[in-house]
Amino acid sequence: MRRVYNFSSGPAILPQPVLEQIQAELLDWNGTGMSVMEMSHRGEAFVSIAERAEATLRRLLGLPSNYKVLFLQGGATAQFSMVPMNLLRGASADFIDTGIWSKKAIAEAGRYGSARVAASAESDGFNHVPEQTSLELDGQAAYLHYTPNETIGGVEFGYVPDSGTVPLVADMSSTMLSRPLDISRFGLIYAGAQKNLGPAGLTLVIVREDLFHEPMAGTPKVFDYRVYADNGSMYNTPPTFAWYAAGLVFEWIEAEGGLQAMGERNRRKAQKVYDVLDASSLYRAKVRADSRSWMNVTFTLADETLEASFLAGAEAAGMSDLRGHRSVGGIRASLYNAMPESGVDMLCEYMREFERSQA
Ligand code: PMP
């Protein structure tokens, strides 16, 4: 068997103990004589798996009972529509524009109401997040939406925007469970699972109860949050296997020391790579020091023609998927929870060695 250090932005590396547990119980889950993949979502066995996953997640986040957890499908992209259908409903919402993913959320929301940009870092090439003082907030907005971590740009908020009494909505696809979170600051958060939470196919949404509204006219029933909240996320067949796997990931996080431990480890991992970048004359970090992502470290090589050999050498050494997103190029190292510190150490050593070899 060969396992590489997989630096993919998602679907991404999963904790090896979780994969091993899945392997061990793949054919016969807990004496049921069947795989989780084969179970009825309404049967006792799967319901116990589903409830356990939610309970673990609630413990990890310290979720108060007025927040509902929904296990959905459609990815974060479906949430770009589902949030405005349920919360915007023809009114106006504010958005912080920090790059490609926030732009997609803005464009989609504009189909259901007014999507107003409260701040944008576009004129600086999205190399930092806007400061709180630069946010031009509408106190009447239905919500303020932002993207705490831009997966492609590698730009991350070091603070939670203060939206006053306006509900705060966050696309946490690439930062969810990577550090402690004060959920009381948020009205709604959503995340595709395939980075920090588990396999693709599951979308996690956490909604504060007072935000359940009658959606705008014409909203399909499968896009109505209340339908999922009222049916334990089992209005129709949920992504059972991904839900089960995410539950195991939640348990792994808990066993590793919870979100505090994840945060400390993730900060340290990212800092190691940024230290290499900052000490180098070959590599250039794309993002300003105050807005650098712990999850997706993006950089370029001073001589672009070296990128191909940089990537090939990394691949040969057992480090995959370091190529930047096709829309922006460069290099991107995604360092989600499941990336071991040993993988980051190997990457840093490889980067230093590669630079020396160019001298
Ligand atoms: N938002 C962010 C921040 C993302 O990183 C991604 C996926 N890379 C998406 C939204 C889209 O997610 P999905 O593919 O699950 O729809």
Side-chain angles (χ1 to χ4, degrees), residues 6 8-15 18-19 22-23 26 36-37 46 49 53 71-76 173 177 191-204 238-250 253 336 338:
N6 175 7
S8 168
S9 61
I13 188 168
L14 285 165
V18 168
L19 294 175
I22 291 172
Q23 183 180 43
L26 189 67
V36 176
M37 269 186 268
F46 187 76
I49 290 171
F71 292 83
L72 309 184
Q73 307 192 46
S173 291
L177 302 188
Q194 65 272 20
K195 295 143 195 318
N196 267 330
L197 313 179
L202 170 72
T203 313
L204 202 60
T240 48
F241 195 76
W243 188 335
Y244 148 76
L248 298 183
V249 172
F250 302 156
I253 294 173
Y336 300 123

Side-chain angles (χ1 to χ4, degrees), residues 84 87-95 109-110 112-118 136-145 166-167:
L87 270 60
L88 183 56
R89 302 174 297 159
S92 179
D94 279 354
F95 289 79
Y112 306 101
S114 165
R116 188 180 158 274
V117 176
E136 292 172 15
L137 299 176
D138 168 7
Q140 302 305 312
Y143 55 88
L144 169 64
H145 178 283
V166 170

Side-chain angles (χ1 to χ4, degrees), residues 32-47:
T32 54
M34 60 176 90
S35 171
V36 176
M37 269 186 268
E38 304 169 300
M39 284 175 186
S40 161
H41 57 294
R42 304 200 190 276
E44 200 184 317
F46 187 76
V47 168

